[in-house]
Amino acid sequence: KLLTMKMLLSLIALLSAALLANAAPPTCYSRVLSLSKEITETFKELQTSKDVDSCVETLPRLYLDIHNYCVLAKLRDFVAYPRCERVLEVSELKEKARSLYTIMISYCRRDLVFLTDDCSALENPVLPPVESS
C-alpha cells in the first residue's frame, strides 16, 4: 500500500511539472495588456463605489488603450494628479499606473506598436454596444 501511494505521489508530481513546463511565460505585450485592463476595471469600480472619498470624482478619467500612443501621457497625468493621496485605493491605483508606464517605456519599448495617437479617444472611449437579452 505504501509503495502504491509513493508511486501515485510521484505521478502527480511528474504531471504537475509537465503542466508547469507547458505554461508559456507572459510576454511583454500580454503583461501590458492585462495590467491596463486591470487598472481600467479598478478605476471603474472606484468611481462607482459608494464608500469612497468624494475626491475620487475629481480624478482624471482613466480609460487605457495600450495601442494608443496618448496612453503614455494619460498615465503620467494620472500618476502626477495631486489629489486623493489620503485614499488608499487611489494610491494603489497610481502605483499600478506608474508600474504600467515604466513597463511600457522601459521593458517593452521595442515590443509595443501604437496604432493611433488619438488622445480624445482616451477621454471619450467608444464602448461596445450592450447586448440585450
Side-chain angles (χ1 to χ4, degrees), residues 46-57 87 89-90:
L46 191 60
Q47 289 281 301
T48 58
S49 175
K50 304 287 186 247
D51 304 331
V52 78
D53 195 286
S54 61
C55 74
V56 171
E57 294 172 6
V87 179
E89 294 89 346
V90 173

Side-chain angles (χ1 to χ4, degrees), residues 1 4 19 29 37 41 53-54 72 95 124:
K1 224 176 180 184
T4 307
L19 284 174
Y29 176 76
K37 286 180 180 179
E41 286 303 313
D53 195 286
S54 61
L72 296 172
E95 194 55 43
N124 301 304

Side-chain angles (χ1 to χ4, degrees), residues 7 20 31 33 35 45 47 54 56 71 84 100 116 127:
M7 287 177 47
L20 287 174
R31 177 67 183 130
L33 187 61
L35 187 54
E45 290 169 8
Q47 289 281 301
S54 61
V56 171
V71 74
C84 293
L100 178 59
T116 183
L127 301 174

Side-chain angles (χ1 to χ4, degrees), residues 99-113:
S99 293
L100 178 59
Y101 180 81
T102 302
I103 291 169
M104 289 180 78
I105 65 165
S106 298
Y107 305 110
C108 298
R109 188 173 38 125
R110 292 186 182 100
D111 296 343
L112 298 178
V113 175

Side-chain angles (χ1 to χ4, degrees), residues 15-103:
L15 290 174
S16 297
L19 284 174
L20 287 174
N22 287 336
T27 63
C28 227
Y29 176 76
S30 66
R31 177 67 183 130
V32 166
L33 187 61
S34 67
L35 187 54
S36 70
K37 286 180 180 179
E38 179 183 335
I39 291 169
T40 300
E41 286 303 313
T42 302
F43 181 75
K44 283 181 195 174
E45 290 169 8
L46 191 60
Q47 289 281 301
T48 58
S49 175
K50 304 287 186 247
D51 304 331
V52 78
D53 195 286
S54 61
C55 74
V56 171
E57 294 172 6
T58 66
L59 288 170
R61 290 188 56 150
L62 196 58
Y63 167 73
L64 303 178
D65 175 2
I66 62 164
H67 303 104
N68 186 333
Y69 184 74
C70 293
V71 74
L72 296 172
K74 174 65 84 175
L75 288 166
R76 275 193 315 268
D77 291 347
F78 185 79
V79 169
Y81 193 72
R83 293 188 169 172
C84 293
E85 288 94 8
R86 68 182 183 279
V87 179
L88 179 63
E89 294 89 346
V90 173
S91 295
E92 290 172 350
L93 192 58
K94 283 185 175 186
E95 194 55 43
K96 284 182 184 180
R98 184 179 291 112
S99 293
L100 178 59
Y101 180 81
T102 302
I103 291 169

